[in-house]
Amino acid sequence: MLRMAVVGAGLMGADHAKIVAEEMPGAVLQVVCDMDECRARRVADAHGAVDVASNPEAVIVRADVDAVIVASPDFTHAPLSLACISAGKKVLCEKPLSQSSQDCLAIMQAEQAAGKRFVQLGFMRRYDQSYVEMKKAIEDGELGRALMMHNFHRNVETPASDFTGAMAITNSAPHEFDVVRHVLGTEYVSISAFQARRSDVRVAPVFMVLETVDGQLVNIEINNNASYGYDVRAELVGEQASIAMNHVAYTRQERSLGVHTGYDVDWRGRYFDAYRRQNRAFLRFIETGVFPDIASSSWDGYAAAVVAEAGVKALASGQKQPVTMISKPEFYA
Ligand code: ISE
């Protein structure tokens, strides 16, 4: 059995602990680690973990830990991923790898120096069936050449009280930054960003327009205070046809002279299957050493960070910003 440590016992850490314990055959939940050891204990007891800890660096090097899932606060992702690389442990790191493209480059350099891949990044949308079908449709030539992709990403309310418009770009939009370039098989060359004005003090929607190296247009709406539900939509427009995501709901209710279809409260429900597909791919990565063919890597973490950095500048300046990346190392081909 592969002994997994989950670092971080918050919303995502608890979800990953549950997935490891219940839906990753061949893995055992060895350690749940959190700075708040009581919180770690609650998650560990809920999912039958072997042990509890509060020092992530110490957990990473433990002889009874074979691999790590990092679901601690964003600022810890880069240093803990580096610690996993130096300990020779595969790591599934929740997004973002880092909000700093320089940090991402350091992780890429560490992997290349080690001579093999260690980091699988948690852009789980790649495993969502809707994006899988979109990517297949464009690759099978069913749409003609890809022209545009429209994207909505709506949360019920901001995940933190100190959320800002810039965080809509650095925290929420990286999912679209990554999955759109994955589906289209392209990179971005520019980004423009705008923000609406609400009548209240809540963070208003941010609207972005990106151009790709292949002359395609991508628009992304991030509305972190949509109120009505967790709602992600996408439509890929080709020269001959388009393909759009259907609303994902297993049931609808016919009542009171109407029809009601529910929304999820957040991403854990909407991407229930995607997280499980992603985590099982991580298990195969650990077992075989072969990087999963649709998973995101440190390179993809770098690409998302570069776009987000340019997007924050575009929002602050009101000017279109270039997206400038290093050439993709062969190591990540
Ligand atoms: C959150 O951090 C996530 O990663 C969710 O998938 C995303 O929908 C949400 O907007 C982010 O805040």
Side-chain angles (χ1 to χ4, degrees):
M1 295 286 268
L2 284 165
R3 299 159 298 182
M4 308 283 278
V6 172
V7 175
L11 200 67
M12 284 313 303
D15 220 39
H16 281 298
K18 176 179 170 63
I19 295 171
V20 173
E22 298 174 8
E23 302 187 65
M24 289 173 71
V28 62
L29 183 59
Q30 190 72 7
V31 186
V32 174
C33 175
D34 194 279
M35 303 294 272
D36 174 347
E37 196 155 335
C38 293
R39 187 163 77 161
R41 169 60 63 196
R42 283 196 299 273
V43 171
D45 289 350
H47 302 297
V50 173
D51 200 3
V52 169
S54 58
N55 178 337
E57 287 81 4
V59 164
I60 288 167
V61 298
R62 280 172 56 153
D64 65 340
V65 168
D66 298 310
V68 182
I69 296 177
V70 170
S72 40
D74 290 5
F75 70 91
T76 67
H77 293 181
L80 293 180
S81 294
L82 283 171
C84 288
I85 294 167
S86 60
K89 306 272 178 89
K90 299 273 191 309
V91 54
L92 173 58
C93 180
E94 267 294 335
K95 45 68 66 180
L97 183 61
S98 174
Q99 291 185 8
S100 155
S101 57
Q102 291 307 308
D103 284 357
C104 296
L105 284 174
I107 291 166
M108 289 164 56
Q109 283 149 14
E111 280 190 306
Q112 292 172 84
K116 63 178 184 175
R117 311 273 278 276
F118 287 94
V119 180
Q120 180 179 333
L121 187 54
F123 283 128
M124 82 299 177
R125 298 252 190 109
R126 292 171 173 229
Y127 287 93
D128 181 64
Q129 190 59 21
S130 57
Y131 293 109
V132 169
E133 292 182 13
M134 285 183 175
K135 184 170 177 65
K136 187 172 187 310
I138 200 72
E139 289 177 348
D140 289 354
E142 293 170 15
L143 313 177
R145 182 177 166 280
L147 274 175
M148 297 178 288
M149 196 158 168
H150 306 297
N151 304 273
F152 295 175
H153 177 169
R154 297 174 178 170
N155 285 265
V156 172
E157 57 184 3
T158 50
S161 58
D162 57 351
F163 210 84
T164 64
M167 288 173 70
I169 299 173
T170 61
N171 174 275
S172 299
H175 280 295
E176 274 76 17
F177 295 154
D178 177 72
V179 78
V180 168
R181 56 186 279 279
H182 168 69
V183 167
L184 298 182
T186 189
E187 296 298 353
Y188 306 111
V189 292
S190 76
I191 183 168
S192 302
F194 313 89
Q195 190 167 17
R197 183 166 6 98
R198 287 184 62 109
S199 59
D200 57 22
V201 295
R202 305 172 78 190
V203 176
V206 172
F207 188 87
M208 290 159 273
V209 177
L210 299 94
E211 295 169 294
T212 74
V213 293
D214 298 309
Q216 297 143 337
L217 291 179
V218 173
N219 63 271
I220 302 171
E221 171 208 313
I222 303 288
N223 184 354
N224 292 97
N225 288 293
S227 300
Y228 67 83
Y230 185 76
D231 184 12
V232 174
R233 306 183 203 178
E235 180 184 13
L236 202 178
V237 181
E239 291 180 355
Q240 269 86 48
S242 74
I243 182 170
M245 199 184 284
N246 282 324
H247 173 59
V248 175
Y250 292 105
T251 58
R252 70 168 185 269
Q253 286 193 19
E254 326 272 351
R255 55 181 156 82
S256 314
L257 303 180
V259 178
H260 177 80
T261 301
Y263 283 94
D264 288 297
V265 69
D266 67 29
W267 51 91
R268 291 168 298 170
R270 169 62 185 79
Y271 293 110
F272 183 92
D273 290 338
Y275 278 111
R276 282 144 184 80
R277 288 180 178 180
Q278 168 194 260
N279 287 30
R280 286 194 284 270
F282 179 55
L283 206 49
R284 290 191 296 276
F285 176 33
I286 302 164
E287 289 163 342
T288 65
V290 176
F291 193 78
D293 59 358
I294 64 172
S296 52
S297 67
S298 303
W299 164 257
D300 301 305
Y302 164 73
V306 169
V307 184
E309 286 168 343
V312 169
K313 283 186 192 145
L315 183 64
S317 67
Q319 304 294 318
K320 179 162 79 169
Q321 296 295 321
V323 175
T324 311
M325 294 166 50
I326 65 167
S327 302
K328 185 174 186 178
E330 189 57 37
F331 185 81
Y332 291 99

